[in-house]
Amino acid sequence: LGASALTGAEAAAKAREQFAAHATFSARFEKQFYWTALDKTQKLQGRIYTRKPDRFRVEVEGGDLVVADGQAIWIYSKKNQQVVVSAYNGEVRTPWQLLLDYTSQWAPAGVEETRLEGRACYLLVLRPPGGAGGQLKVWLERRRWLLLKVEQKDESDNLVTYILKDQRLGTELDAGLFRFTAPPGVEVIDRRGDARP
Protein backbone atom coordinates (compact mmCIF):
# COMPACT_ATOMS: atom_id res chain seq x y z
CA LEU A 1 0.00 0.00 0.00
CA GLY A 2 1.72 3.18 -1.14
CA ALA A 3 1.49 6.48 0.65
CA SER A 4 -0.53 7.86 -2.24
CA ALA A 5 -3.28 5.36 -1.36
CA LEU A 6 -3.00 5.86 2.39
CA THR A 7 -4.40 8.74 4.39
CA GLY A 8 -2.92 10.01 7.62
CA ALA A 9 -6.00 8.87 9.53
CA GLU A 10 -5.66 5.35 8.08
CA ALA A 11 -1.97 5.16 8.99
CA ALA A 12 -2.71 6.28 12.56
CA ALA A 13 -5.49 3.70 12.80
CA LYS A 14 -3.11 0.94 11.64
CA ALA A 15 -0.66 1.85 14.41
CA ARG A 16 -3.42 1.87 17.03
CA GLU A 17 -4.60 -1.57 15.86
CA GLN A 18 -1.07 -2.94 16.20
CA PHE A 19 -0.76 -1.72 19.79
CA ALA A 20 -4.28 -2.83 20.67
CA ALA A 21 -3.51 -6.38 19.55
CA HIS A 22 -0.89 -6.85 22.27
CA ALA A 23 -1.12 -6.76 26.06
CA THR A 24 2.42 -5.55 26.68
CA PHE A 25 4.87 -3.07 25.22
CA SER A 26 8.43 -2.11 26.14
CA ALA A 27 11.05 0.13 24.57
CA ARG A 28 14.04 2.34 25.16
CA PHE A 29 13.32 6.02 24.69
CA GLU A 30 15.06 9.33 24.33
CA LYS A 31 13.23 12.57 25.01
CA GLN A 32 14.71 15.81 23.69
CA PHE A 33 13.60 19.34 24.60
CA TYR A 34 14.66 22.28 22.44
CA TRP A 35 13.88 25.80 23.66
CA THR A 36 13.99 28.28 20.78
CA ALA A 37 14.44 31.40 22.92
CA LEU A 38 17.41 29.91 24.75
CA ASP A 39 18.76 27.91 21.79
CA LYS A 40 19.23 25.08 24.28
CA THR A 41 18.62 21.33 24.05
CA GLN A 42 18.16 18.90 26.93
CA LYS A 43 18.11 15.13 26.54
CA LEU A 44 16.70 12.41 28.75
CA GLN A 45 16.93 8.65 28.23
CA GLY A 46 15.22 5.70 29.80
CA ARG A 47 13.02 2.64 29.40
CA ILE A 48 9.28 2.19 29.33
CA TYR A 49 7.25 -0.93 30.15
CA THR A 50 3.46 -1.16 29.91
CA ARG A 51 0.88 -3.85 30.51
CA LYS A 52 -2.72 -3.14 29.63
CA PRO A 53 -4.86 -1.73 30.94
CA ASP A 54 -3.22 0.23 33.76
CA ARG A 55 0.24 -1.01 34.68
CA PHE A 56 3.37 0.81 33.61
CA ARG A 57 6.93 1.61 34.58
CA VAL A 58 9.10 4.46 33.32
CA GLU A 59 12.78 4.32 34.24
CA VAL A 60 14.81 7.49 33.66
CA GLU A 61 18.59 7.72 33.61
CA GLY A 62 19.87 8.75 37.02
CA GLY A 63 17.52 6.42 38.87
CA ASP A 64 14.19 8.26 38.83
CA LEU A 65 11.10 6.05 38.42
CA VAL A 66 7.37 6.20 37.83
CA VAL A 67 5.56 2.94 38.61
CA ALA A 68 1.83 2.13 38.47
CA ASP A 69 0.23 -1.14 39.54
CA GLY A 70 -3.36 -0.28 38.64
CA GLN A 71 -4.22 0.92 42.15
CA ALA A 72 -1.42 3.37 42.98
CA ILE A 73 1.28 5.40 41.25
CA TRP A 74 4.74 5.89 42.75
CA ILE A 75 6.91 8.80 41.61
CA TYR A 76 10.44 8.36 42.91
CA SER A 77 13.12 11.05 42.80
CA LYS A 78 16.54 9.61 43.55
CA LYS A 79 18.11 13.07 43.83
CA ASN A 80 15.56 14.19 46.43
CA GLN A 81 15.46 10.77 48.12
CA GLN A 82 11.69 11.02 48.09
CA VAL A 83 8.76 9.05 46.71
CA VAL A 84 5.21 10.35 46.31
CA VAL A 85 2.49 7.71 46.11
CA SER A 86 -1.02 8.56 44.93
CA ALA A 87 -4.16 6.58 44.22
CA TYR A 88 -4.52 5.54 40.60
CA ASN A 89 -7.91 6.82 39.49
CA GLY A 90 -7.51 6.80 35.74
CA GLU A 91 -6.86 10.53 35.47
CA VAL A 92 -3.17 10.03 34.70
CA ARG A 93 -2.68 8.99 31.10
CA THR A 94 -0.54 5.90 30.96
CA PRO A 95 2.36 5.74 28.50
CA TRP A 96 0.30 3.16 26.62
CA GLN A 97 -2.51 5.69 26.17
CA LEU A 98 -0.09 8.37 25.06
CA LEU A 99 1.26 6.05 22.38
CA LEU A 100 -2.22 5.16 21.21
CA ASP A 101 -3.85 8.55 21.46
CA TYR A 102 -1.34 10.93 19.93
CA THR A 103 -3.86 11.68 17.17
CA SER A 104 -6.82 12.33 19.49
CA GLN A 105 -6.35 16.12 19.50
CA TRP A 106 -4.46 16.45 16.22
CA ALA A 107 -5.85 16.26 12.70
CA PRO A 108 -3.81 14.33 10.09
CA ALA A 109 -2.71 16.77 7.39
CA GLY A 110 -0.67 14.45 5.22
CA VAL A 111 1.39 11.28 4.95
CA GLU A 112 4.46 10.37 2.92
CA GLU A 113 6.85 7.47 2.54
CA THR A 114 10.35 8.09 3.87
CA ARG A 115 13.23 6.40 5.69
CA LEU A 116 14.44 6.84 9.25
CA GLU A 117 17.85 5.39 10.11
CA GLY A 118 17.53 3.02 7.18
CA ARG A 119 14.02 1.82 8.03
CA ALA A 120 11.14 2.31 5.61
CA CYS A 121 8.43 4.27 7.32
CA TYR A 122 5.46 6.57 6.94
CA LEU A 123 5.76 10.17 8.08
CA LEU A 124 2.47 11.62 9.31
CA VAL A 125 2.08 15.36 9.65
CA LEU A 126 -0.69 16.44 12.02
CA ARG A 127 -2.00 19.85 12.98
CA PRO A 128 -4.11 21.00 15.91
CA PRO A 129 -7.79 21.49 15.07
CA GLY A 130 -9.24 24.95 14.77
CA GLY A 131 -6.24 26.50 13.06
CA ALA A 132 -4.12 26.75 16.23
CA GLY A 133 -0.35 26.93 15.84
CA GLY A 134 2.05 24.05 16.23
CA GLN A 135 2.65 20.79 14.43
CA LEU A 136 3.06 17.12 15.22
CA LYS A 137 5.15 14.72 13.12
CA VAL A 138 4.95 10.97 13.62
CA TRP A 139 7.18 8.34 12.03
CA LEU A 140 5.66 4.83 11.78
CA GLU A 141 7.58 1.77 10.64
CA ARG A 142 5.96 0.45 7.47
CA ARG A 143 6.36 -3.26 8.16
CA ARG A 144 5.09 -3.52 11.74
CA TRP A 145 3.46 -0.09 12.23
CA LEU A 146 5.68 0.61 15.23
CA LEU A 147 5.96 4.16 16.50
CA LEU A 148 9.58 5.22 15.86
CA LYS A 149 9.66 8.95 16.50
CA VAL A 150 7.42 11.86 17.43
CA GLU A 151 8.19 15.57 17.07
CA GLN A 152 5.87 18.14 18.59
CA LYS A 153 6.42 21.83 17.86
CA ASP A 154 4.45 24.49 19.69
CA GLU A 155 3.44 27.99 18.57
CA SER A 156 6.80 29.37 19.80
CA ASP A 157 8.73 26.75 17.78
CA ASN A 158 9.88 24.94 20.92
CA LEU A 159 10.37 21.30 20.00
CA VAL A 160 9.86 18.09 21.98
CA THR A 161 11.12 14.90 20.33
CA TYR A 162 10.59 11.29 21.41
CA ILE A 163 12.67 8.53 19.83
CA LEU A 164 11.76 4.89 20.52
CA LYS A 165 14.10 1.92 20.03
CA ASP A 166 14.30 -1.77 20.97
CA GLN A 167 10.52 -1.97 20.85
CA ARG A 168 8.85 -5.21 21.93
CA LEU A 169 5.17 -6.01 21.67
CA GLY A 170 3.50 -8.92 23.42
CA THR A 171 6.54 -10.16 25.34
CA GLU A 172 6.29 -11.53 28.88
CA LEU A 173 7.05 -8.84 31.48
CA ASP A 174 7.98 -9.66 35.07
CA ALA A 175 5.20 -8.68 37.48
CA GLY A 176 7.84 -7.11 39.71
CA LEU A 177 8.34 -4.34 37.17
CA PHE A 178 4.98 -2.91 38.24
CA ARG A 179 5.65 -2.93 41.98
CA PHE A 180 7.63 -0.39 43.97
CA THR A 181 9.27 -0.67 47.38
CA ALA A 182 10.91 2.46 48.74
CA PRO A 183 14.65 2.06 49.39
CA PRO A 184 15.76 2.45 53.04
CA GLY A 185 15.98 6.05 54.17
CA VAL A 186 13.75 7.42 51.42
CA GLU A 187 10.97 9.80 52.49
CA VAL A 188 7.54 8.46 51.53
CA ILE A 189 4.73 10.96 50.96
CA ASP A 190 1.50 8.96 50.80
CA ARG A 191 -1.35 10.92 49.24
CA ARG A 192 -3.70 8.00 48.75
CA GLY A 193 -5.75 9.11 51.75
CA ASP A 194 -6.40 12.47 50.07
CA ALA A 195 -8.69 10.77 47.56
CA ARG A 196 -10.75 8.92 50.15
CA PRO A 197 -14.09 10.31 51.33
Side-chain angles (χ1 to χ4, degrees), residues 47-62:
R47 289 199 68 95
I48 177 176
Y49 305 88
T50 68
R51 177 184 290 156
K52 291 193 292 187
D54 50 17
R55 286 165 173 74
F56 63 87
R57 178 187 186 95
V58 180
E59 301 174 355
V60 181
E61 61 184 347

Side-chain angles (χ1 to χ4, degrees), residues 36 106 128-136 152-160:
T36 301
W106 297 78
Q135 178 178 268
L136 187 70
Q152 183 173 346
K153 182 180 289 188
D154 66 17
E155 295 180 347
S156 301
D157 287 337
N158 299 312
L159 187 66
V160 179

Side-chain angles (χ1 to χ4, degrees), residues 30-104:
E30 179 176 295
K31 184 176 183 179
Q32 303 172 359
F33 306 85
Y34 174 71
W35 289 273
T36 301
L38 301 175
D39 191 24
K40 181 180 177 182
T41 300
Q42 180 184 18
K43 296 182 180 180
L44 197 64
Q45 294 182 334
R47 289 199 68 95
I48 177 176
Y49 305 88
T50 68
R51 177 184 290 156
K52 291 193 292 187
D54 50 17
R55 286 165 173 74
F56 63 87
R57 178 187 186 95
V58 180
E59 301 174 355
V60 181
E61 61 184 347
D64 291 354
L65 283 174
V66 179
V67 178
D69 66 356
Q71 296 182 341
I73 297 179
W74 289 264
I75 301 174
Y76 170 58
S77 169
K78 186 174 182 180
K79 178 181 177 181
N80 296 334
Q81 286 293 288
Q82 184 182 84
V83 60
V84 177
V85 56
S86 305
Y88 182 81
N89 52 20
E91 292 179 4
V92 177
R93 296 179 76 200
T94 69
W96 184 277
Q97 289 170 314
L98 291 173
L99 291 169
L100 286 176
D101 296 341
Y102 57 83
T103 58
S104 62

Side-chain angles (χ1 to χ4, degrees), residues 86-185:
S86 305
Y88 182 81
N89 52 20
E91 292 179 4
V92 177
R93 296 179 76 200
T94 69
W96 184 277
Q97 289 170 314
L98 291 173
L99 291 169
L100 286 176
D101 296 341
Y102 57 83
T103 58
S104 62
Q105 297 181 11
W106 297 78
V111 60
E112 65 181 71
E113 293 184 17
T114 187
R115 298 189 77 83
L116 183 66
E117 296 184 353
R119 299 164 82 174
C121 58
Y122 292 114
L123 168 59
L124 279 67
V125 178
L126 304 101
R127 303 193 189 284
Q135 178 178 268
L136 187 70
K137 291 183 177 180
V138 178
W139 285 259
L140 297 170
E141 186 187 53
R142 284 184 58 188
R143 188 168 60 90
R144 295 185 295 164
W145 297 99
L146 293 175
L147 183 63
L148 301 178
K149 182 178 177 180
V150 177
E151 283 186 356
Q152 183 173 346
K153 182 180 289 188
D154 66 17
E155 295 180 347
S156 301
D157 287 337
N158 299 312
L159 187 66
V160 179
T161 303
Y162 294 90
I163 300 169
L164 296 174
K165 296 184 177 180
D166 191 23
Q167 301 168 336
R168 301 181 184 184
L169 284 162
T171 57
E172 187 67 28
L173 296 178
D174 191 311
L177 286 169
F178 309 108
R179 292 193 292 264
F180 181 82
T181 302

